[in-house]
Amino acid sequence: MRVAFRVDASLVIGTGHVMRCLTLARMLEAHGARCHFICADLPGNLGQFLCQNGVSLTLLPAPRGDAAAPLDYSSWSGLTWADDAEATARELQKQPADWLVVDHYGLDAQWEAAVLRATGAKCLIIDDLANRPHLGRWLLDPGPQRTSADYKQFVPSDCDLLLGPRYALLRPEFSELRDRVLPTRKKRSLRHVLVTMGGVDLPNASSAILSCLDRLTLPEGFHVTLVLGGTAPHLENLRARAEELSFPCDIKVDVRDLHHLMAKADLAIGAAGGTAWERCVLGLPSLMLSTAENQIPAARALEQAGAAVSLGFLADGDGWVDTLAESLQRVRNPRVLAELARNSSSLCDGKGAIRVEKRMRAALETS
C-alpha cells in the first residue's frame, strides 16, 4: 500500500497536523505501507524533523510565505488552491499513491476534485471543523462532539465517517503505557505540572502560565516541565525566564518521550488540541486553554464530561490567567485530581491509529 500525505506545519499552523499524520504513517508502515509526505515550504515547517526521522518528503514552494492570520485558512499553504492542487498532482504522478490523506483546513472539495481526477487515489480527509465541502469517501474527525449530522451537507452520501476520540491518531506508546499509569492516578497530589501549549506556542501562553504559577503559594517539592518544539519563536526567552522562577522548571525541546512525561506528571496545563487526547489516554488531569477557535467545542465537551477544566479562549483576553490561578487552587485537592483522572481516562483508549489503519487496508482489499 502506497500512501501520500498532504499536510503542513508552520509558525501559524503549528505542528499538530503533521504530527498526527506522522502517527498514522508509522502505523501504516508497521503493516508494510510506503508513505510519502507533501508539505509546503513555510517558515516553521517540519521538513528537517521529518527527514531526520526517515520520512520521504517533498517540499512545495510557498511564494506567498506565511503571512496569513491563523483563521485565514485559505492562505495557509502559501499557494492558491489551484496551484497547490497542480503541484500536489504533479508529485503524485511521480510517486503514485493508493491512498491520499489530506489534513489541511485550507483545502476543500475543489482541490480534492482536481487532485483525485489526476491521480485516482482513494482519499481520507482529516478534519476538525465541519465547515466546508469534501469529495473524499472517508473522513476522520476525532472531536468528542461530532455527529454525522455535522457533515451531512459537506460530504457525499456514501462517505465513511470516522468520528470521535476512538479514532484520534495517537502514538501507540500512550495506549501501551495506559494500564500501568491509570492505577497510580488514585493517590496523586499536586507536585509535578506539565505545560504543553503546542510545538510553536506563537502567542507565548507558556510565559503567562509560568508567571501565574510564580505568583502562587505552591506546595513543597513543586516543579514544572515545559515542552516545546525546536521551531518555537519564544524558546530562548522562556529558557531565560525559567532561571528566574521560584520553582524548578525543566524545558524540553522536540521530545520523543512525551508519554513518559505525562505518566510522571500530576497535572497538565495545555492547549485543547490533539494532545488533549494523549492526556486522556493516560488519565492526566488537565487545565486546558483553547488557543484556536476550533478547539473551543472540544474543550467545552471535555469540561462537561468532568474530564478537564477549561480556562477559556486565549484570544478573549487575559481573564484566563485568573481562571488558571483559581483552578490551580482547586486541583490541590487530591480528590479533585483523582476525579479528573478517572473521567478523562474513560474518553479515549489511544487505539485510533490502529483502527484507521485497519479500515484503510480493508478498503483496498475489497475494492
mmCIF file of all heavy atoms in Angstrom, residues 70-100:
data_model
loop_
_atom_site.group_PDB
_atom_site.id
_atom_site.type_symbol
_atom_site.label_atom_id
_atom_site.label_comp_id
_atom_site.label_asym_id
_atom_site.label_seq_id
_atom_site.Cartn_x
_atom_site.Cartn_y
_atom_site.Cartn_z
ATOM 1 N N PRO A 70 -4.119 33.316 11.654
ATOM 2 C CA PRO A 70 -4.409 31.919 11.965
ATOM 3 C C PRO A 70 -5.740 31.418 11.417
ATOM 4 O O PRO A 70 -5.870 30.250 11.078
ATOM 5 C CB PRO A 70 -4.390 31.897 13.497
ATOM 6 C CG PRO A 70 -3.438 32.987 13.865
ATOM 7 C CD PRO A 70 -3.665 34.062 12.835
ATOM 8 N N LEU A 71 -6.775 32.262 11.346
ATOM 9 C CA LEU A 71 -8.081 31.803 10.876
ATOM 10 C C LEU A 71 -8.266 31.998 9.380
ATOM 11 O O LEU A 71 -9.316 31.664 8.839
ATOM 12 C CB LEU A 71 -9.196 32.521 11.645
ATOM 13 C CG LEU A 71 -9.279 32.167 13.139
ATOM 14 C CD1 LEU A 71 -10.444 32.898 13.792
ATOM 15 C CD2 LEU A 71 -9.416 30.670 13.340
ATOM 16 N N ASP A 72 -7.283 32.532 8.677
ATOM 17 C CA ASP A 72 -7.358 32.677 7.229
ATOM 18 C C ASP A 72 -6.868 31.384 6.592
ATOM 19 O O ASP A 72 -5.806 31.312 5.994
ATOM 20 C CB ASP A 72 -6.499 33.876 6.781
ATOM 21 C CG ASP A 72 -6.621 34.127 5.282
ATOM 22 O OD1 ASP A 72 -7.542 33.565 4.656
ATOM 23 O OD2 ASP A 72 -5.793 34.886 4.748
ATOM 24 N N TYR A 73 -7.680 30.348 6.738
ATOM 25 C CA TYR A 73 -7.243 29.011 6.349
ATOM 26 C C TYR A 73 -6.890 28.912 4.874
ATOM 27 O O TYR A 73 -6.009 28.144 4.492
ATOM 28 C CB TYR A 73 -8.338 27.985 6.673
ATOM 29 C CG TYR A 73 -8.712 27.895 8.127
ATOM 30 C CD1 TYR A 73 -10.049 27.879 8.524
ATOM 31 C CD2 TYR A 73 -7.737 27.814 9.120
ATOM 32 C CE1 TYR A 73 -10.399 27.781 9.864
ATOM 33 C CE2 TYR A 73 -8.071 27.722 10.460
ATOM 34 C CZ TYR A 73 -9.412 27.705 10.818
ATOM 35 O OH TYR A 73 -9.753 27.613 12.149
ATOM 36 N N SER A 74 -7.568 29.697 4.025
ATOM 37 C CA SER A 74 -7.366 29.569 2.583
ATOM 38 C C SER A 74 -5.939 29.888 2.154
ATOM 39 O O SER A 74 -5.499 29.438 1.100
ATOM 40 C CB SER A 74 -8.350 30.474 1.826
ATOM 41 O OG SER A 74 -8.088 31.846 2.126
ATOM 42 N N SER A 75 -5.207 30.654 2.951
ATOM 43 C CA SER A 75 -3.848 31.017 2.575
ATOM 44 C C SER A 75 -2.785 30.305 3.407
ATOM 45 O O SER A 75 -1.616 30.656 3.377
ATOM 46 C CB SER A 75 -3.659 32.539 2.710
ATOM 47 O OG SER A 75 -3.911 32.966 4.031
ATOM 48 N N TRP A 76 -3.200 29.278 4.127
ATOM 49 C CA TRP A 76 -2.254 28.583 4.999
ATOM 50 C C TRP A 76 -1.076 27.979 4.248
ATOM 51 O O TRP A 76 0.038 27.946 4.750
ATOM 52 C CB TRP A 76 -2.990 27.469 5.749
ATOM 53 C CG TRP A 76 -3.468 27.890 7.112
ATOM 54 C CD1 TRP A 76 -3.607 29.170 7.580
ATOM 55 C CD2 TRP A 76 -3.876 27.028 8.176
ATOM 56 N NE1 TRP A 76 -4.082 29.154 8.861
ATOM 57 C CE2 TRP A 76 -4.252 27.857 9.254
ATOM 58 C CE3 TRP A 76 -3.970 25.657 8.319
ATOM 59 C CZ2 TRP A 76 -4.707 27.340 10.464
ATOM 60 C CZ3 TRP A 76 -4.419 25.143 9.520
ATOM 61 C CH2 TRP A 76 -4.785 25.976 10.593
ATOM 62 N N SER A 77 -1.302 27.463 3.044
ATOM 63 C CA SER A 77 -0.210 26.772 2.343
ATOM 64 C C SER A 77 0.707 27.731 1.607
ATOM 65 O O SER A 77 1.750 27.320 1.107
ATOM 66 C CB SER A 77 -0.777 25.744 1.361
ATOM 67 O OG SER A 77 -1.310 26.383 0.216
ATOM 68 N N GLY A 78 0.330 29.023 1.515
ATOM 69 C CA GLY A 78 1.138 29.971 0.770
ATOM 70 C C GLY A 78 0.897 29.903 -0.726
ATOM 71 O O GLY A 78 1.543 30.618 -1.495
ATOM 72 N N LEU A 79 -0.009 29.038 -1.180
ATOM 73 C CA LEU A 79 -0.342 28.879 -2.593
ATOM 74 C C LEU A 79 -1.849 29.038 -2.767
ATOM 75 O O LEU A 79 -2.619 28.831 -1.831
ATOM 76 C CB LEU A 79 0.063 27.487 -3.098
ATOM 77 C CG LEU A 79 1.543 27.113 -3.048
ATOM 78 C CD1 LEU A 79 1.696 25.599 -3.220
ATOM 79 C CD2 LEU A 79 2.305 27.843 -4.140
ATOM 80 N N THR A 80 -2.291 29.384 -3.976
ATOM 81 C CA THR A 80 -3.718 29.293 -4.257
ATOM 82 C C THR A 80 -4.093 27.815 -4.280
ATOM 83 O O THR A 80 -3.239 26.941 -4.478
ATOM 84 C CB THR A 80 -4.057 29.913 -5.611
ATOM 85 O OG1 THR A 80 -3.453 29.126 -6.658
ATOM 86 C CG2 THR A 80 -3.545 31.351 -5.696
ATOM 87 N N TRP A 81 -5.371 27.517 -4.093
ATOM 88 C CA TRP A 81 -5.776 26.113 -4.079
ATOM 89 C C TRP A 81 -5.458 25.449 -5.413
ATOM 90 O O TRP A 81 -5.065 24.265 -5.447
ATOM 91 C CB TRP A 81 -7.254 25.970 -3.731
ATOM 92 C CG TRP A 81 -8.204 26.356 -4.857
ATOM 93 C CD1 TRP A 81 -8.839 27.544 -5.012
ATOM 94 C CD2 TRP A 81 -8.602 25.526 -5.948
ATOM 95 N NE1 TRP A 81 -9.619 27.531 -6.144
ATOM 96 C CE2 TRP A 81 -9.489 26.292 -6.737
ATOM 97 C CE3 TRP A 81 -8.303 24.229 -6.346
ATOM 98 C CZ2 TRP A 81 -10.079 25.803 -7.903
ATOM 99 C CZ3 TRP A 81 -8.880 23.726 -7.511
ATOM 100 C CH2 TRP A 81 -9.766 24.497 -8.279
ATOM 101 N N ALA A 82 -5.613 26.199 -6.517
ATOM 102 C CA ALA A 82 -5.365 25.619 -7.831
ATOM 103 C C ALA A 82 -3.885 25.299 -8.024
ATOM 104 O O ALA A 82 -3.524 24.231 -8.546
ATOM 105 C CB ALA A 82 -5.855 26.566 -8.916
ATOM 106 N N ASP A 83 -3.006 26.223 -7.597
ATOM 107 C CA ASP A 83 -1.566 25.975 -7.708
ATOM 108 C C ASP A 83 -1.141 24.826 -6.804
ATOM 109 O O ASP A 83 -0.300 24.001 -7.165
ATOM 110 C CB ASP A 83 -0.785 27.242 -7.356
ATOM 111 C CG ASP A 83 -0.899 28.320 -8.427
ATOM 112 O OD1 ASP A 83 -1.271 27.988 -9.573
ATOM 113 O OD2 ASP A 83 -0.610 29.492 -8.111
ATOM 114 N N ASP A 84 -1.734 24.797 -5.625
ATOM 115 C CA ASP A 84 -1.419 23.711 -4.689
ATOM 116 C C ASP A 84 -1.852 22.368 -5.277
ATOM 117 O O ASP A 84 -1.111 21.375 -5.228
ATOM 118 C CB ASP A 84 -2.129 23.966 -3.354
ATOM 119 C CG ASP A 84 -1.615 23.077 -2.238
ATOM 120 O OD1 ASP A 84 -1.640 21.845 -2.392
ATOM 121 O OD2 ASP A 84 -1.199 23.611 -1.193
ATOM 122 N N ALA A 85 -3.058 22.333 -5.842
ATOM 123 C CA ALA A 85 -3.562 21.090 -6.439
ATOM 124 C C ALA A 85 -2.682 20.640 -7.597
ATOM 125 O O ALA A 85 -2.371 19.448 -7.732
ATOM 126 C CB ALA A 85 -5.003 21.287 -6.910
ATOM 127 N N GLU A 86 -2.280 21.584 -8.426
ATOM 128 C CA GLU A 86 -1.431 21.233 -9.562
ATOM 129 C C GLU A 86 -0.091 20.672 -9.097
ATOM 130 O O GLU A 86 0.395 19.661 -9.620
ATOM 131 C CB GLU A 86 -1.207 22.463 -10.443
ATOM 132 C CG GLU A 86 -0.351 22.191 -11.668
ATOM 133 C CD GLU A 86 -0.132 23.433 -12.520
ATOM 134 O OE1 GLU A 86 -0.692 24.502 -12.175
ATOM 135 O OE2 GLU A 86 0.608 23.349 -13.513
ATOM 136 N N ALA A 87 0.509 21.331 -8.104
ATOM 137 C CA ALA A 87 1.803 20.869 -7.602
ATOM 138 C C ALA A 87 1.682 19.507 -6.923
ATOM 139 O O ALA A 87 2.539 18.628 -7.091
ATOM 140 C CB ALA A 87 2.372 21.902 -6.631
ATOM 141 N N THR A 88 0.607 19.313 -6.166
ATOM 142 C CA THR A 88 0.404 18.034 -5.490
ATOM 143 C C THR A 88 0.172 16.921 -6.500
ATOM 144 O O THR A 88 0.744 15.822 -6.390
ATOM 145 C CB THR A 88 -0.785 18.129 -4.520
ATOM 146 O OG1 THR A 88 -0.532 19.145 -3.541
ATOM 147 C CG2 THR A 88 -1.009 16.797 -3.812
ATOM 148 N N ALA A 89 -0.676 17.177 -7.498
ATOM 149 C CA ALA A 89 -0.944 16.164 -8.522
ATOM 150 C C ALA A 89 0.329 15.796 -9.274
ATOM 151 O O ALA A 89 0.552 14.623 -9.603
ATOM 152 C CB ALA A 89 -2.003 16.679 -9.486
ATOM 153 N N ARG A 90 1.157 16.790 -9.510
ATOM 154 C CA ARG A 90 2.427 16.530 -10.223
ATOM 155 C C ARG A 90 3.308 15.591 -9.397
ATOM 156 O O ARG A 90 3.922 14.658 -9.934
ATOM 157 C CB ARG A 90 3.137 17.857 -10.487
ATOM 158 C CG ARG A 90 4.356 17.740 -11.384
ATOM 159 C CD ARG A 90 4.769 19.102 -11.956
ATOM 160 N NE ARG A 90 4.945 20.093 -10.910
ATOM 161 C CZ ARG A 90 4.181 21.183 -10.781
ATOM 162 N NH1 ARG A 90 3.185 21.403 -11.629
ATOM 163 N NH2 ARG A 90 4.411 22.055 -9.809
ATOM 164 N N GLU A 91 3.359 15.806 -8.103
ATOM 165 C CA GLU A 91 4.157 14.927 -7.246
ATOM 166 C C GLU A 91 3.571 13.518 -7.187
ATOM 167 O O GLU A 91 4.305 12.523 -7.156
ATOM 168 C CB GLU A 91 4.252 15.511 -5.833
ATOM 169 C CG GLU A 91 5.102 16.762 -5.727
ATOM 170 C CD GLU A 91 6.529 16.539 -6.216
ATOM 171 O OE1 GLU A 91 7.084 15.457 -5.931
ATOM 172 O OE2 GLU A 91 7.061 17.430 -6.888
ATOM 173 N N LEU A 92 2.245 13.428 -7.183
ATOM 174 C CA LEU A 92 1.608 12.117 -7.118
ATOM 175 C C LEU A 92 1.745 11.347 -8.431
ATOM 176 O O LEU A 92 1.673 10.110 -8.439
ATOM 177 C CB LEU A 92 0.136 12.279 -6.746
ATOM 178 C CG LEU A 92 -0.121 12.748 -5.310
ATOM 179 C CD1 LEU A 92 -1.591 13.009 -5.070
ATOM 180 C CD2 LEU A 92 0.402 11.725 -4.307
ATOM 181 N N GLN A 93 1.935 12.056 -9.516
ATOM 182 C CA GLN A 93 2.200 11.366 -10.768
ATOM 183 C C GLN A 93 3.616 10.802 -10.792
ATOM 184 O O GLN A 93 3.876 9.763 -11.393
ATOM 185 C CB GLN A 93 1.955 12.320 -11.939
ATOM 186 C CG GLN A 93 0.467 12.585 -12.176
ATOM 187 C CD GLN A 93 0.192 13.793 -13.057
ATOM 188 O OE1 GLN A 93 1.116 14.512 -13.444
ATOM 189 N NE2 GLN A 93 -1.073 14.023 -13.363
ATOM 190 N N LYS A 94 4.529 11.502 -10.090
ATOM 191 C CA LYS A 94 5.897 10.986 -9.963
ATOM 192 C C LYS A 94 5.939 9.805 -9.003
ATOM 193 O O LYS A 94 6.672 8.834 -9.221
ATOM 194 C CB LYS A 94 6.833 12.093 -9.441
ATOM 195 C CG LYS A 94 7.019 13.268 -10.370
ATOM 196 C CD LYS A 94 7.914 14.308 -9.686
ATOM 197 C CE LYS A 94 8.049 15.576 -10.502
ATOM 198 N NZ LYS A 94 8.850 16.608 -9.772
ATOM 199 N N GLN A 95 5.179 9.927 -7.910
ATOM 200 C CA GLN A 95 5.144 8.886 -6.885
ATOM 201 C C GLN A 95 3.686 8.499 -6.640
ATOM 202 O O GLN A 95 3.053 9.032 -5.727
ATOM 203 C CB GLN A 95 5.797 9.379 -5.589
ATOM 204 C CG GLN A 95 7.251 9.789 -5.732
ATOM 205 C CD GLN A 95 7.915 9.982 -4.382
ATOM 206 O OE1 GLN A 95 7.953 9.076 -3.557
ATOM 207 N NE2 GLN A 95 8.452 11.170 -4.154
ATOM 208 N N PRO A 96 3.139 7.601 -7.464
ATOM 209 C CA PRO A 96 1.717 7.233 -7.359
ATOM 210 C C PRO A 96 1.365 6.699 -5.974
ATOM 211 O O PRO A 96 2.196 6.105 -5.283
ATOM 212 C CB PRO A 96 1.557 6.143 -8.427
ATOM 213 C CG PRO A 96 2.673 6.385 -9.394
ATOM 214 C CD PRO A 96 3.820 6.894 -8.566
ATOM 215 N N ALA A 97 0.118 6.941 -5.575
ATOM 216 C CA ALA A 97 -0.349 6.509 -4.259
ATOM 217 C C ALA A 97 -1.684 5.788 -4.388
ATOM 218 O O ALA A 97 -2.516 6.139 -5.237
ATOM 219 C CB ALA A 97 -0.485 7.715 -3.329
ATOM 220 N N ASP A 98 -1.879 4.796 -3.533
ATOM 221 C CA ASP A 98 -3.177 4.134 -3.437
ATOM 222 C C ASP A 98 -4.127 4.953 -2.573
ATOM 223 O O ASP A 98 -5.338 4.948 -2.783
ATOM 224 C CB ASP A 98 -3.008 2.739 -2.828
ATOM 225 C CG ASP A 98 -2.054 1.866 -3.620
ATOM 226 O OD1 ASP A 98 -2.299 1.663 -4.823
ATOM 227 O OD2 ASP A 98 -1.049 1.406 -3.042
ATOM 228 N N TRP A 99 -3.557 5.623 -1.579
ATOM 229 C CA TRP A 99 -4.321 6.477 -0.679
ATOM 230 C C TRP A 99 -3.697 7.861 -0.630
ATOM 231 O O TRP A 99 -2.477 7.996 -0.583
ATOM 232 C CB TRP A 99 -4.297 5.918 0.750
ATOM 233 C CG TRP A 99 -5.327 4.872 1.067
ATOM 234 C CD1 TRP A 99 -5.160 3.519 1.061
ATOM 235 C CD2 TRP A 99 -6.685 5.109 1.467
ATOM 236 N NE1 TRP A 99 -6.317 2.897 1.435
ATOM 237 C CE2 TRP A 99 -7.276 3.850 1.699
ATOM 238 C CE3 TRP A 99 -7.454 6.259 1.654
ATOM 239 C CZ2 TRP A 99 -8.603 3.692 2.097
ATOM 240 C CZ3 TRP A 99 -8.769 6.118 2.062
ATOM 241 C CH2 TRP A 99 -9.334 4.844 2.276
ATOM 242 N N LEU A 100 -4.552 8.877 -0.587
ATOM 243 C CA LEU A 100 -4.125 10.247 -0.314
ATOM 244 C C LEU A 100 -4.812 10.692 0.969
ATOM 245 O O LEU A 100 -6.040 10.690 1.063
ATOM 246 C CB LEU A 100 -4.516 11.182 -1.464
ATOM 247 C CG LEU A 100 -4.291 12.679 -1.220
ATOM 248 C CD1 LEU A 100 -2.810 12.981 -0.990
ATOM 249 C CD2 LEU A 100 -4.841 13.505 -2.389
#
